[in-house]
Amino acid sequence: MDKINSLRGMPDFYSDDLISWTPVENKLEEVFRAFSIGEIRTPILEYTDLFKRSVGDTSDIVNKEIYSFDDRNDQSISLRPEGTAGVIRSVIEKKLDQQQSKFWYMGPMFRYERPQKGRYRQFHQAGVEFLGYQEGQADFELIALVCSIINSLDIKNAKLKINHLGDKDSKIQFARSLVTFLEPYKDQMDDKDIERLSKNPLRILDSKDKKVQEILENAPSLTDFISESANSLLASIQKTFADQCTIEIDNKLVRGLDYYTGLVFEACSSDLGAQDAFIGGGRYDNLAKALGGKDMPAIGLAVGLERLISISSVLRCDEKKVIFISSTSNITPLAFKIANKLRNANSNISLDMDLTDSSIKAKLRRANKTNATHAFIFGDEEMNNKSIIVKSLRDDNEQVSMSIDECIDFFKEI
Ligand code: HAM
């Protein structure tokens, strides 16, 4: 029979991988709680229209990368490529779009991208959305959160790039002048950039083509189209957080999702390679209205967990472990009772019951190859005199026979 493989770009994770995930996820949750942000969980599947109307049907994400299919009722549904759209859909549905709220979420997202290091088709994000807050304090608070994430996860060589896209009108005016400027250079562009020029001109600023980047050096700049107050917001953010994080104003930063309006930002690290952004976010004041809700200014971010985990120096949790080796001859109910008492006495240690039918000697040999600190041996003799042998697996100390209560006390202190 042919074996069935996983889908490309959708890796499995085993405990050896997850041992570095859990401390990072816990730390992020700690930071979110310290900022008094509440958790929200929304479904992984949503109607496709939600993403068309939010992320945008001119964006690469919706155009080429979304996993969409018809359900049994012939309705087009999609695996979420990001979390913001679902959160806004939910707050509109619950009529929370007239108030202020702060949410965080964590979970899998799906994009049909070409897999490579740091880029997957199923990946994980931790996101935050501040809803109902005008441009101003919330923008500062969100950048403070970015700095906290970078510092509490001990991310080295991080740089935060910030930009301002202005309001809807300045974005349109800038796009128009960019098209007028680039039109004469069309014959020097590849098909992808020509398509961007007609569908979503601002995305050309992201072009990886060196020739296009050279042409863009003389192009009109977004700064000429945005207000004085937007430019001073950028300068003030840069100054306020200069002691916490390297911040650079980058007028070419446009981001790949259509819903952004004001401040946009991306945190990158030179330790990541080609896919160097590990946080992306920005303001999206028009999204709630575009999804049928009230006017609700908002700003948010998402952290790419795979990328963050690969560069975080937060300690892997060094799990303490004891191997419990019971008598080989029969299944011994007393062994399970003792194991249960031990686990109740100290849940910080994992008690690994050896479930094989091999000899005590073979079980001990295997225990020696693990990272366990001790083996607790409960053989036929120990069953008769209600004792346990405690053997250290880290040194050559003599093994010690203990009563069950003594062993429980010992287990509490490991
Ligand atoms: P995004 O920039 O598309 O923004 O994604 C945020 C982060 O997710 C990226 O910086 C990256 O670290 C990670 N990421 C994206 N695609 C992949 C992939 N294929 N494989 C691995 N990691 C990936 C958003 O998703 C917005 N919803 C952020 C936001 C929230 N804006 C406002 N609120």
Side-chain angles (χ1 to χ4, degrees):
M1 196 88 101
D2 289 344
K3 68 176 168 42
I4 299 172
N5 294 325
S6 68
L7 274 70
R8 222 178 135 221
M10 299 205 180
D12 302 309
F13 297 99
Y14 284 80
S15 18
D16 275 356
D17 313 305
L18 294 170
I19 209 158
S20 24
W21 280 66
T22 318
V24 170
E25 287 169 330
N26 291 346
K27 196 53 149 183
L28 281 175
E29 218 178 301
E30 216 176 87
V31 174
F32 297 156
R33 291 191 197 288
F35 275 74
S36 195
I37 305 169
E39 187 181 357
I40 184 168
R41 297 186 193 191
T42 61
I44 284 167
L45 280 172
E46 299 273 2
Y47 289 118
T48 305
D49 270 350
L50 174 67
F51 301 114
K52 283 194 180 163
R53 279 163 61 184
S54 54
V55 175
D57 46 11
T58 61
S59 69
D60 282 354
I61 297 179
V62 166
N63 247 338
K64 303 181 189 137
E65 298 166 5
I66 200 156
Y67 280 89
S68 293
F69 47 92
D70 290 345
D71 69 5
R72 287 170 196 276
N73 214 9
D74 285 336
Q75 281 187 298
S76 178
I77 55 175
S78 297
L79 288 168
R80 61 181 186 193
E82 56 99 57
T84 312
V87 171
I88 303 308
R89 191 265 315 135
S90 174
V91 298
I92 293 171
E93 226 175 317
K94 299 278 179 310
K95 301 195 170 39
L96 301 173
D97 50 342
Q98 277 286 273
Q99 64 185 61
Q100 277 124 2
S101 35
K102 299 177 202 156
F103 293 113
W104 69 266
Y105 49 87
M106 246 186 247
M109 309 289 160
F110 304 83
R111 295 183 193 176
Y112 195 87
E113 296 193 79
R114 198 169 47 77
Q116 64 179 86
K117 184 170 171 277
R119 189 162 71 190
Y120 309 96
R121 289 183 174 172
Q122 174 171 324
F123 60 99
H124 298 78
Q125 281 186 349
V128 170
E129 315 294 348
F130 290 171
L131 309 179
Y133 300 94
Q134 297 285 1
E135 178 170 286
Q137 309 225 41
D139 302 54
F140 280 79
E141 177 81 334
L142 199 69
I143 298 298
L145 178 67
V146 172
C147 296
S148 270
I149 293 172
I150 292 174
N151 294 323
S152 46
L153 285 144
D154 201 10
I155 305 298
K156 303 277 182 318
N157 305 317
K159 191 187 336 172
L160 179 62
K161 294 190 230 167
I162 57 173
N163 192 19
H164 200 292
L165 300 180
D167 56 19
K168 215 173 173 183
D169 283 347
S170 44
K171 212 167 144 181
I172 293 170
Q173 277 173 22
F174 173 56
R176 272 200 205 122
S177 85
L178 197 62
V179 173
T180 313
F181 173 84
L182 288 172
E183 207 65 47
Y185 299 100
K186 245 174 150 176
D187 54 344
Q188 298 180 44
M189 294 180 182
D190 63 16
D191 291 348
K192 195 171 173 184
D193 282 338
I194 291 174
E195 193 189 328
R196 281 172 161 170
L197 193 60
S198 62
K199 285 192 174 163
N200 193 353
L202 261 57
R203 295 285 294 151
I204 295 220
L205 301 179
D206 260 358
S207 172
K208 300 281 175 279
D209 188 331
K210 274 207 180 112
K211 212 175 335 130
V212 173
Q213 281 302 334
E214 268 169 34
I215 296 168
L216 283 171
E217 273 171 27
N218 299 316
S221 165
L222 187 54
T223 20
D224 304 333
F225 293 82
I226 62 173
S227 63
E228 193 50 42
S229 68
N231 280 320
S232 72
L233 178 81
L234 291 177
S236 173
I237 286 178
Q238 191 181 33
K239 197 168 157 214
T240 307
F241 299 102
D243 59 339
Q244 292 181 47
C245 178
T246 310
I247 304 186
E248 184 186 287
I249 298 173
D250 176 356
N251 292 125
K252 291 216 167 76
L253 179 72
V254 284
R255 313 261 306 123
L257 301 95
D258 287 358
Y259 52 59
Y260 290 114
T261 43
L263 177 73
V264 287
F265 54 87
E266 240 167 49
C268 305
S269 166
S270 50
D271 295 343
L272 275 170
Q275 302 300 318
D276 65 349
F278 62 95
I279 300 179
R283 182 160 277 285
Y284 52 96
D285 288 348
N286 303 324
L287 182 57
K289 207 145 189 212
L291 293 177
K294 302 267 175 4
D295 238 335
M296 182 183 68
I299 185 165
L301 62 79
V303 186
L305 289 183
E306 282 80 358
R307 296 185 195 171
L308 182 75
I309 286 160
S310 73
I311 49 169
S312 165
S313 355
V314 162
L315 280 184
R316 290 158 60 108
C317 47
D318 201 7
E319 191 187 49
K320 281 191 189 162
K321 185 163 158 158
V322 165
I323 311 269
F324 194 100
I325 295 174
S326 77
S327 160
T328 59
S329 40
N330 289 307
I331 291 182
T332 322
L334 185 57
F336 288 94
K337 283 194 182 138
I338 297 170
N340 193 31
K341 276 190 180 170
L342 287 164
R343 288 181 180 127
N344 287 339
N346 187 353
S347 55
N348 290 326
I349 302 183
S350 77
L351 187 78
D352 184 2
M353 179 76 101
D354 186 320
L355 304 173
T356 64
D357 289 331
S358 40
S359 68
I360 289 190
K361 222 168 154 187
K363 287 182 179 185
L364 255 177
R365 245 195 329 267
R366 226 181 358 255
N368 265 313
K369 288 186 189 149
T370 68
N371 60 350
T373 56
H374 296 83
F376 288 0
I377 305 162
F378 188 67
D380 292 335
E381 201 181 320
E382 286 69 40
M383 189 160 64
N384 289 333
N385 55 27
K386 306 272 183 295
S387 64
I388 290 180
I389 293 175
V390 174
K391 184 174 168 49
S392 167
L393 300 174
R394 296 267 169 96
D395 53 43
D396 294 331
N397 288 349
E398 284 283 293
Q399 56 189 42
V400 187
S401 174
M402 297 185 189
S403 72
I404 291 169
D405 284 343
E406 281 169 347
C407 183
I408 289 171
D409 286 343
F410 178 81
F411 190 72
K412 282 183 190 163
E413 300 300 320
I414 290 179

